[in-house]
Amino acid sequence: MLKAASLTGLLIYFAVLLAAVTKEKKNHTVEDYFFAGRTLPFWALSITFIASWWGAGSAISTADLAFTDGLGAFWYYGVPVLLSTFLMILGAKGIRRVGYLTQGEMMKARYSPLAAKLLSVMILVFMTMNAASQMVGIGSFFGTYLGMNYELAVTVGTGIVLIYSMFGGFRGVVLTDIIQFVLLAISAFIVFVAATVNSGGIENIALAAEEAGRTGYMSFSYGAQKYMVYVITFGGAWVIQANVWQRISASRNDKDARKMTVMSFFAYIPLYLMVVFTGMAGITLFDEIPKGGIVTAVVTKYMNPFLGALVFVGISAAIMSTMDSLINTGAMTLSIDLFGKEKREEEKLKFSRLSTLLVTAVALVISLRIRSILDISWMASDIITTGVLVPLVMGFLWKRGNSKGAVSSMAAGLIYCFYNLFIGFGVKLPSFWEQQSALQVVLGVILSLAVYVSVSLLTPAEKEKAEDFIKKARGK
């Protein structure tokens, strides 16, 4: 009964998304396709911002970690998201004021075409790999919930996202994200209530944790040390995540850009807390994490089929809304920053749709080979944190930074990232830091910063270019 109701709900959901996208205003230019002509209100962009960071990790992984680690699991996704969003609040006006649509265009204006190309390649890799992580999430979720094999589940979920993304572009992504966010919020609340009621409430959860000997289960600070590596790595990567900057660039003006990030910040807090408490409630309901995770088990064991089908569609929406954002931004980077400069507008638009297909296809292949959300997310975040964070952020802050410093910094960060990747694959290379640790990430950022500063100081300044860019960012 539950499987039939869920499949029916999924078909209705897909039909609604497709109908909404195909009836939307037609995209005539690349700016329409990737930025909706900069006409969308801040609240719509805020919803798609929230939906972009509320995906498989938020809906599934965080609840499972909370089952084991309690309230401290909030540090896994919740704290990095809040940290990144807070920094975005501080930087949103500056990003919108410079006037450039993409990070690649910003880097070209601030530094050089080579710096822009190198950054764009790393962004493309980051977006594609993160899209693959969401495909892993949809494959695992569909597989458990609907009884599909993993390969079929990944293909079905990805196919739904690909179809409406190609039809609607960014405007379509925003429109479907609004629909998906409503489903997400309702579903998260229903699962939270079901888990909390059946667990007997907070006091019963605390008692069960005490009886199980789980020290610190009810302490928020307990997860700080364990998850600090994710706070640093994910936080550093997400604060410069191109799909979020895309939403800032798509805002109508700098005030809307700020309002969008503020609204998102305060929405994230209850959403992540609901998922954490849902996972914690599982300690009274299950002896160990069930196959498919806590959320799926709560739905299948403690809810009627029709509510369960609604939740199934809502969680699917959460994963798809993140996936569509990542695919759209990856396609934007490929078609605008890497290969779209010399084409006519009509050709650019066609290539934008082709880029959407290409990014999806590559991400799909990755998701079929590496079936771990955490492993894929880590690799993607490590590349962007060590390779891009320093030159991109410092370009807004330090006038003396120049293009040679930026390129050298990105190259050093990328080499360091691949060095650690080789170690992770079993190559015997010297290192005094633990792999996938906070120290590894901090060292990578310090190396990137040291190279950026030293090379910039040792080579001629680009005073006029730097001052012009920073004045625009500061609104002077």
Side-chain angles (χ1 to χ4, degrees):
M1 181 67 176
L2 177 59
K3 182 178 178 180
S6 299
L7 280 171
T8 302
L10 183 64
L11 290 172
I12 295 171
Y13 165 76
F14 178 54
V16 169
L17 290 187
L18 200 57
V21 168
T22 53
K23 288 184 179 180
E24 259 295 288
K25 179 182 176 183
K26 187 178 180 181
N27 295 296
H28 295 288
T29 66
V30 171
E31 185 172 323
D32 276 341
Y33 192 78
F34 290 118
F35 298 93
R38 287 179 158 177
T39 60
L40 295 173
F42 81 89
W43 60 265
L45 291 171
S46 179
I47 289 174
T48 189
F49 181 177
I50 296 165
S52 296
W53 279 352
W54 183 266
S58 307
I60 300 171
S61 299
T62 303
D64 293 344
L65 289 170
F67 175 86
T68 304
D69 296 331
L71 191 56
F74 190 83
W75 285 81
Y76 171 59
Y77 258 89
V79 172
V81 163
L82 290 175
L83 172 63
S84 300
T85 308
F86 177 74
L87 294 174
M88 283 290 93
I89 292 172
L90 301 179
K93 284 189 173 182
I95 294 168
R96 181 61 181 84
R97 282 171 183 160
V98 295
Y100 300 103
L101 292 174
T102 69
Q103 290 177 336
E105 290 181 342
M106 293 176 196
M107 290 289 276
K108 183 178 179 180
R110 176 62 177 85
Y111 298 118
S112 67
L114 177 58
K117 292 292 184 185
L118 189 55
L119 171 130
S120 298
V121 169
M122 285 191 276
I123 289 174
L124 179 60
V125 171
F126 176 80
M127 290 297 155
T128 303
M129 292 184 72
N130 264 317
S133 74
Q134 299 305 311
M135 293 174 189
V136 173
I138 203 73
S140 301
F141 184 63
F142 276 19
T144 301
Y145 215 101
L146 300 177
M148 295 180 177
N149 65 57
Y150 176 81
E151 291 78 8
L152 177 60
V154 170
T155 303
V156 170
T158 302
I160 292 173
V161 174
L162 175 63
I163 290 170
Y164 74 70
S165 295
M166 286 187 71
F167 268 110
F170 183 68
R171 186 180 279 106
V173 167
V174 173
L175 180 62
T176 54
D177 277 355
I178 292 171
I179 297 170
Q180 290 164 331
F181 176 77
V182 172
L183 289 170
L184 147 72
I186 293 172
S187 300
F189 183 72
I190 290 173
V191 176
F192 164 71
V193 170
T196 303
V197 169
N198 284 284
S199 71
I202 297 296
E203 291 184 2
N204 208 30
I205 293 171
L207 181 62
E210 185 179 347
E211 291 175 350
R214 300 193 184 186
T215 307
Y217 198 78
M218 304 302 294
S219 170
F220 174 75
S221 62
Y222 187 70
Q225 183 175 356
K226 179 176 181 179
Y227 294 109
M228 187 54 63
V229 63
Y230 300 110
V231 173
I232 296 171
T233 307
F234 290 168
W238 294 345
V239 75
I240 56 170
Q241 194 162 316
N243 58 329
V244 174
W245 285 45
Q246 179 187 12
R247 281 144 181 76
I248 293 172
S249 295
S251 59
R252 292 180 294 195
N253 51 57
D254 59 355
K255 291 182 180 179
D256 271 13
R258 171 69 64 81
K259 288 191 286 187
M260 178 197 77
T261 51
V262 171
M263 177 179 170
S264 301
F265 180 88
F266 287 105
Y268 281 129
I269 297 172
L271 287 173
Y272 277 97
L273 282 174
M274 279 196 296
V275 171
V276 169
F277 280 113
T278 298
M280 291 171 65
I283 195 174
T284 69
L285 306 176
F286 312 106
D287 294 328
E288 59 184 17
I289 296 179
K291 182 180 178 181
I294 296 297
V295 172
T296 304
V298 169
V299 173
T300 55
K301 295 180 181 295
Y302 294 96
M303 296 175 64
N304 71 61
F306 295 104
L307 272 181
L310 175 62
V311 171
F312 166 76
V313 173
I315 295 174
S316 300
I319 301 172
M320 290 180 187
S321 62
T322 301
M323 191 196 306
D324 63 30
S325 170
L326 295 164
I327 290 171
N328 184 261
T329 307
M332 176 192 73
T333 302
L334 183 61
S335 59
I336 293 180
D337 292 328
L338 291 174
F339 295 107
K341 295 299 180 186
E342 305 303 323
K343 294 179 171 61
R344 290 182 289 113
E345 197 65 43
E346 188 176 326
E347 292 175 333
K348 287 181 182 180
L349 193 55
K350 288 181 180 178
F351 187 71
S352 298
R353 293 193 172 94
L354 177 60
S355 299
T356 302
L357 178 60
L358 290 173
V359 170
T360 305
V362 174
L364 180 61
V365 171
I366 295 171
S367 70
L368 292 173
R369 294 183 65 86
I370 306 175
R371 302 186 183 186
S372 169
I373 295 173
L374 189 56
D375 286 348
I376 297 175
S377 297
W378 170 269
M379 287 187 284
S381 298
D382 196 29
I383 290 172
I384 210 79
T385 303
T386 57
V388 175
L389 177 65
V390 168
L392 185 58
V393 173
M394 290 296 287
F396 283 81
L397 302 175
W398 192 43
K399 293 180 182 179
R400 187 62 180 81
N402 63 19
S403 55
K404 288 185 173 62
V407 171
S408 300
S409 173
M410 285 189 280
L414 201 56
I415 291 169
Y416 177 80
C417 177
F418 278 107
Y419 186 89
N420 285 291
L421 196 59
F422 287 140
I423 295 174
F425 286 147
V427 179
K428 299 297 182 182
L429 295 172
S431 69
F432 60 85
W433 56 88
E434 183 182 349
Q435 290 300 295
Q436 295 194 0
S437 65
L439 178 59
Q440 175 188 322
V441 181
V442 170
L443 287 174
V445 174
I446 290 174
L447 171 65
S448 179
L449 179 61
V451 171
Y452 178 80
V453 172
S454 59
V455 173
S456 293
L457 292 175
L458 291 170
T459 54
E462 298 164 346
K463 187 176 179 181
E464 185 177 342
K465 184 190 295 185
E467 286 184 349
D468 181 60
F469 185 90
I470 292 174
K471 281 181 180 179
K472 284 183 179 179
R474 293 176 180 174
K476 295 181 179 179

